[in-house]
Amino acid sequence: YPLRRQRQMCKETVAALSGIAVPAASASAGECGGGLVCIFNEANFGGFLGSRGPGIGIMNVSRNANDKMSSWINNTGGHAAWYQHANGGGKCHTMTPFSNNNYVGWWSNDTLTSWRTNRGC
């Protein structure tokens, strides 16, 4: 178990540095609280990948979340955005306030690499 705990601590550290909250277990749409923007691995908000509060500039997602997002929820009063490439590169997609997208579509599926919660595109 020490090795397993060490790996978990490593993942938590990397996630903290990348601005992504690490869930103790799988989250769902109902667990994306007010004041958060959440991204999910699967359509219809399955497979929680991470969350961020408002006002955070562009950051790349962790290696484990890269190119895996299929749906998102924005439970904040501000615009957020996600990008297809690192450091805000590539196509930008706005996540409007108090909205969600249960499937980003075939062309955009599994392409998120960086995101921000301080403004839209």
Side-chain angles (χ1 to χ4, degrees):
Y1 296 115
L3 183 57
R4 183 180 298 165
R5 178 65 187 138
Q6 198 172 24
R7 284 184 186 153
Q8 180 62 30
M9 287 173 54
C10 224
K11 288 179 185 177
E12 290 169 0
T13 301
V14 168
L17 292 173
S18 65
I20 294 178
V22 176
S26 180
S28 67
E31 294 174 280
C32 184
L36 292 175
V37 179
C38 302
I39 55 174
F40 299 87
N41 186 41
E42 302 164 12
N44 298 311
F45 320 111
F48 180 78
L49 290 172
S51 65
R52 296 175 74 188
I56 301 173
I58 294 174
M59 292 181 79
N60 298 332
V61 296
S62 69
R63 182 180 305 167
N64 292 336
N66 187 44
D67 292 337
K68 292 187 178 175
M69 192 268 297
S70 294
S71 56
W72 56 263
I73 297 172
N74 182 354
N75 282 332
T76 74
H79 286 85
W82 63 273
Y83 301 85
Q84 291 181 327
H85 302 303
N87 306 313
K91 187 172 181 181
C92 180
H93 304 265
T94 296
M95 297 182 274
T96 55
F98 301 113
S99 66
N100 64 67
N101 188 336
N102 69 334
Y103 181 61
V104 296
W106 189 82
W107 287 104
S108 297
N109 191 48
D110 297 338
T111 63
L112 176 143
T113 297
S114 59
W115 60 329
R116 69 184 321 137
T117 59
N118 63 348
R119 66 178 178 86
C121 298

